[in-house]
Each structure stands twice: as C-alpha cells, then as structure tokens.
Amino acid sequence: IAGITQAPTSQILAAGRRMTLRCTQDMRHNAMYWYRQDLGLGLRLIHYSNTAGTTGKGEVPDGYSVSRANTDDFPLTLASAVPSQTSVYFCASSDSGTSSYNEQFFGPGTRLTVL
Amino acid sequence: GQNIDQPTEMTATEGAIVQINCTYQTSGFNGLFWYQQHAGEAPTFLSYNVLDGLEEKGRFSSFLSRSKGYSYLLLKELQMKDSASYLCAATDSNYQLIWGAGTKLIIKP
C-alpha cells in the first residue's frame, strides 16, 4: 500500500529513556519531515531532510535527532525523553522540499507520552 | 517573525456554507495550503493557492490575496463528515510550511 507508515502507533515512556520513532515511505519522495502537534498549537517542524544523506533543523529541534541513510526511512530519536516531549508526532514526505509546490503527505502519527 | 492566524473554532449547520479565514505573515511567500484533519487522524491535502484568486474544487473553494496576506477556505453544502479541523499553512522563503493552529469546525444537524 503506497504511503507513509509510522511505528509505534502509541507509546508510554519513562523520562530519561531513549526512544526511536520510525517512519517509512514508499512514494520515492525526496523530502521528509518530522512534526509534533500539541493542543492549541500548529504543527511544528522538528527536523527535515530534503534528500537522502542530508538533514536540517526545524523550529523545535532540541532533544531530537534524525538520520536519512536512504530515501525511504527517516527515524526520529529522543536521546533522553522529558515530559515536555509528550505529543503526537507526524512524519510527512513530499516530492521536493525545495519548490514552492510542497504538498506534504502525512503518516498516521505516533502518540507519545513521557512520564 | 512568522505567524499564521485562523479562528480556533467555528460552528455551522448541515447544508449551509461556511468560510474559514486565515491571515499569514512569513519571511517570503511561496504559496498557501489548506489541509483537513479529522480527530485522531493525519492531515490530508485540500487545496493550494499561489496566485491571487479563487480555486474551486467541488464543494470546497480556496481564495488568496497576496497583497493582504489573506486566504479563506469556503465549504458549501456542509455535510456532517466535514466536521474536522482545517489547517492553513504558508510556504516561506525556504519552502518550509508554516502552520496555523487549525480551526475546529463543528457541524450541527
């Protein structure tokens, strides 16, 4: 099935633990993104990648890291989780991250709770 | 700074028309997107405007005025399934999307 998958669907995590959220797309899109969505706030960009092998920081990158070893996968790692990282995390992809028409396709999201 | 403003919540009646407004302020501008997001689900693409004017797509239309930094999404013949949040996002000079907080639309029978 074409699209973006994310894993896990939800997770409860103890503060201080390390966690990797997985994201895979099969649309051969060049660009991929990680957002967090909190109640009352818009989607906020954490990190992005315009092409395999490159990554960039978004609006709220602190406490998160990413890698883009290939076109399909874009994992997000929380090195040492804190309660303020409780959120819904969406992975997205687009054909190009460097053009004005940047329609992004979203995965189903990961609901993360840090206690 | 960069900012997107849209109303937090709106209520409309089934079968009616509703207009959701969005104003934006970004460093550079390369187009405006509208997305729909049902509760507990991912956002899905509705429309894109880069030139001034109205783009119509079935029951949904989107308007853009670049000089005013303003857009609206018009939903006609409202159906219960249109109950969702509607997200406005502007593309800045780095081609990143800057998102509004979303407008929750409640449809009443």
Side-chain angles (χ1 to χ4, degrees), chain A residues 37 42 99-102 104 107, chain B residues 30 35 37 42 48 95-96 99-100:
Chain A
Q37 187 175 41
S99 70
S100 60
Y101 187 74
N102 187 11
Q104 297 182 8
Chain B
N30 283 296
Y35 278 73
Q37 185 177 26
Y48 172 73
Y95 304 108
Q96 298 295 348
W99 297 82

Side-chain angles (χ1 to χ4, degrees), chain B residues 20-106:
Chain B
I20 302 174
N21 296 324
C22 170
T23 58
Y24 63 89
Q25 196 171 15
T26 55
S27 58
F29 178 75
N30 283 296
L32 190 127
F33 287 86
W34 284 95
Y35 278 73
Q36 181 189 58
Q37 185 177 26
H38 284 101
E41 297 183 7
T44 55
F45 170 79
L46 283 178
S47 68
Y48 172 73
N49 296 67
V50 65
L51 300 177
D52 286 356
L54 189 69
E55 293 279 345
E56 298 186 76
K57 191 185 293 186
R59 293 189 299 115
F60 293 8
S61 303
S62 56
F63 172 83
L64 177 67
S65 169
R66 294 177 67 126
S67 62
K68 295 182 179 178
Y70 167 70
S71 173
Y72 68 72
L73 180 69
L74 191 71
L75 292 75
K76 303 176 185 177
E77 301 170 15
L78 286 170
Q79 302 175 9
M80 297 304 293
K81 68 179 181 179
D82 297 329
S83 292
S85 289
Y86 292 86
L87 313 181
C88 173
T91 310
D92 71 7
S93 57
N94 294 318
Y95 304 108
Q96 298 295 348
L97 294 187
I98 309 301
W99 297 82
T103 298
K104 182 178 181 180
L105 179 63
I106 299 168

